[in-house]
Amino acid sequence: MSVQNPTKVLHEELKAKLMKPEVISGSEILLRSLLLEGVECVFGYPGGAVLFIYDAMHGNPDFHHLLTRHEQGAIHAADGYARSTGKVGVCIATSGPGATNLVTGIATAYMDSVPLVVITGNVATNFIGTDAFQEADITGITMPITKHSYLVRKVEDLGRIIHEAFHIANTGRKGPVLIDIPKDVSANKTLFQPQLDPVTIRGYNPSTDPNKVQTDAMLNAIQQAERPVILAGGGVVYADASDELIEFVNKTNIPITTTLLGLGGFPSGHELWMGMPGMHGTYTANHAIQESDLLICIGARFDDRVTMKLDGFAPKAKIVHIDVDPAEIGKNVKTDIPIIGNVKDVLGYANTKAVRANTDAWVARVQEMKAKYPLKYKDSDTELKPQYVIEMINETTRGDAIITTDVGQHQMWVAQYYKFNRPRSWITSGGLGTMGFGFPSAIGAQMGNPDKLVVSINGDGGMQMCSQELAICAINNIPVKIVVINNQVLGMVRQWQEIIYDNRYSHIDLAGSPDFVKLAEAYGVKGLRATTKEEARKAWQEALDTPGPVLIDFVVPKGENVYPMVTQGCTIDEMIMGDSE
């Protein structure tokens, strides 16, 4: 006798209920449509223009909403949810200031190709354009930082628009889509007849099929190369192409470097992995790129922090660029073999023909550089070094946690010293470099991965930008482990002022910051502090043994710098090695 899966039965019963044609309000159409799209949790903050929507949530047992303490916290949480699960993240905010508080988070997701559906309220349609209370042209404001924006004029269009928005956000080069819903549209009623058929939009048909002719040209170039290098980016992670990439590297025997957003897309323990390239990249990765005669860029966009001085980047290399977005091909670096298509499909096809390259001598050269110039720092028995803290977290979690960071020195130390071995375990703001991102994105990641250990690593500057979200960790017992690398200074700005601006330190002192342990306790979260290695290990173990959220304040010296470093105007092999020089 077969036994039915109760979860599946419940899902099918819910879907049948949601699919039933019925005359309902725009607000109810929104909630039903989100559930039909498989949305598990919506992050939001109510206000006047979305009160009909929030009224529809009242008493709805199927709809899960998490009330953040700031709209920016809501969208960063949705972003962390999306990056860690591969699903579309959803957030809701009211009109005017509620909507504009989402702008930084929208730009963060847009720069890093994260699929979000951002829902905002607006004033009633007859008030649009009159400078009504809390009116803002949010579709106009966000036009440059969304894949598409909708202003819903008629309730009859709402169901179709939501279905289209999810399709646009999660296909091609992924990104945020905004839906602006006037208050009368959310209140008006119409017959809702859900359609979950595949979306067809005239003018939007992203090409994802691999260009086989160009892929064959890449495979031929590999056979002719002596010093090939693979540069893999976040596109590998977003396309769920990590397995294909590992197979491609194993078949071709080509050394590989992964960008900041590509970390985890290829296992750091692999013998051919060289570390991260660019401004704070490894000696091996940067020098290998500069010595290469073939550079295969996979799902990366040649960001300026990777290339540094453009006219001196990979000067000896023929360039192959694989990307789903044709706008990226040739944008920053002249491309010799362009391959437009989904990374997973391109590599899948390439793996049917790929053979081992003539790279034995080149691999030996790369291994020699790795052995001679490893990442290292000057440890101390009297001070708690930030790099030591990251190594300790890596050792105790065995690289199996989901790690989120804010932006700054701690972000680079995590990228250097935490060993990522699987995709979607690394969540950080890359393109926009958004302070305040790390902690709320960890909340979203934890909601999407309730059985995983989620660690949020922050600087003492960024932690103060969204620290109010401690409240929802306490209230909902969200077990994020919150690490503060506390050097009482804007660390990365201080480092630049030291190295580039001749020690002219200007407005970087954070000595007036709160006691983070007391701040955590004020919100109902356990707070711990460590100033030595012994205290650090004890506090971190206590945090791991605590079932709920914990904040650990690691007090580190303010003068510590991130090395290696390439300063602006230099090529990536012109590196300041710091203590290892």
Side-chain angles (χ1 to χ4, degrees), residues 492-503:
M492 190 60 85
V493 180
R494 187 209 58 77
Q495 178 170 337
W496 278 48
Q497 289 177 348
E498 174 189 326
I499 295 172
I500 302 171
Y501 294 90
D502 298 325
N503 296 298

Side-chain angles (χ1 to χ4, degrees), residues 168-209:
I168 294 170
N170 211 28
T171 53
R173 180 177 181 171
K174 301 177 182 184
V177 176
L178 184 136
I179 305 174
D180 195 31
I181 306 175
K183 191 170 184 178
D184 56 323
V185 173
S186 65
N188 292 341
K189 293 187 176 182
T190 189
L191 176 63
F192 179 51
Q193 294 180 292
Q195 300 293 325
L196 293 182
D197 298 331
V199 174
T200 301
I201 303 173
R202 189 173 65 177
Y204 178 74
N205 187 27
S207 175
T208 59
D209 294 335

Side-chain angles (χ1 to χ4, degrees), residues 16 105 200 330 370 403 464:
T200 301
K370 285 176 67 175
I403 304 292
Q464 294 180 71

Side-chain angles (χ1 to χ4, degrees), residues 24-34 37 53 117 119-120 150-166 179-188 190-192:
I24 54 176
S25 70
S27 297
E28 292 168 310
I29 289 172
L30 172 64
L31 302 194
R32 288 195 187 188
S33 296
L34 293 178
E37 294 292 341
I53 295 171
V117 169
I119 298 159
T120 56
Y150 290 96
L151 172 57
V152 187
R153 294 280 186 172
K154 297 187 297 182
V155 68
E156 292 82 5
D157 296 332
L158 185 55
R160 170 186 58 81
I161 285 172
I162 294 166
H163 193 33
E164 288 181 1
F166 275 81
I179 305 174
D180 195 31
I181 306 175
K183 191 170 184 178
D184 56 323
V185 173
S186 65
N188 292 341
T190 189
L191 176 63
F192 179 51

